[in-house]
Amino acid sequence: MPFESLPPMMAIGLNVLAWFLIHMVAGYAGARMPRYCFVNDAGIYRTRSWEKNGQFYQQVFRIKRWKRYLPDCGEAFGQHASKKAIQSKSISYLESFIMETRRAEWTHWIQIGISPIFFFFNTWPVGCVMLIYAVAANLPCIMAQRFNRPRLMKIAAAKRART
């Protein structure tokens, strides 16, 4: 049943509830996935040449100015530490942090990927708004992970070379 037959406030409420559930389920699923799913930079996690080891995000989007304002909900699901700042420079910690950037990126890609479901129960224009929301809410978080990961990998590689 399309939401166009519902009162507008109820339709808005159902969309908000659906987004809340999508965010929570994706976050929970990401937190429960085994670590081995996020141990290497294959597939979507591989840094592309055009990203210039993350510098593309600084040059084009000035990411250092705004990334600190992004929410970090990883701790809410109880399996990983904050990604706001480096807590240690040990190799094991850096490798864990790098893995968590992949986990976070996966979670945000999943949320974007799920967003077309809104076309099934909304009008076309509302479905488009939901898709725009999905990209606007998740892409900055993905960009932050893709900016941080190459830098962390460089630090970890230098640390490994010294030991």
Side-chain angles (χ1 to χ4, degrees):
M1 171 174 85
F3 281 178
E4 61 194 24
S5 61
L6 295 175
M9 290 309 291
M10 185 178 279
I12 291 169
L14 288 172
N15 279 309
V16 169
L17 177 62
W19 271 118
F20 175 76
L21 291 172
I22 288 169
H23 290 302
M24 292 301 105
V25 169
Y28 183 82
R32 299 302 178 267
M33 288 186 66
R35 294 174 69 92
Y36 69 80
C37 294
F38 305 106
V39 294
N40 63 45
D41 269 354
I44 64 169
Y45 310 119
R46 185 172 52 85
T47 301
R48 309 299 189 237
S49 61
W50 58 266
E51 291 177 292
K52 300 176 187 168
N53 287 321
Q55 289 310 306
F56 167 81
Y57 301 105
Q58 175 60 21
Q59 292 166 349
V60 175
F61 298 104
R62 304 287 183 237
I63 195 167
K64 287 182 184 179
R65 288 186 184 174
W66 53 263
K67 74 178 184 116
R68 70 177 158 258
Y69 300 112
L70 295 173
D72 181 2
C73 298
E75 292 176 317
F77 297 103
Q79 288 230 328
H80 37 290
S82 172
K83 291 177 290 302
K84 287 285 186 187
I86 295 175
Q87 307 294 321
S88 167
K89 291 199 176 169
S90 73
I91 293 172
S92 63
Y93 173 82
L94 290 169
E95 288 173 350
S96 180
F97 197 120
I98 291 164
M99 189 226 32
E100 291 302 332
T101 66
R102 294 183 195 110
R103 184 188 304 273
E105 185 177 342
W106 179 88
T107 300
H108 290 287
W109 279 121
I110 289 298
Q111 291 174 44
I112 292 172
I114 291 172
S115 65
I117 69 163
F118 286 92
F119 287 100
F120 290 114
F121 50 85
N122 281 296
T123 61
W124 181 256
V126 174
C128 290
V129 169
M130 295 297 111
L131 187 59
I132 290 167
Y133 165 77
V135 172
N138 290 289
L139 201 55
C141 300
I142 291 168
M143 290 167 50
Q145 304 314 316
R146 297 192 67 79
F147 172 73
N148 288 331
R149 190 165 45 251
R151 296 166 62 221
L152 291 166
M153 291 171 78
K154 184 177 179 181
I155 293 168
K159 192 94 167 146
R160 268 190 233 94
R162 280 183 286 214
T163 57

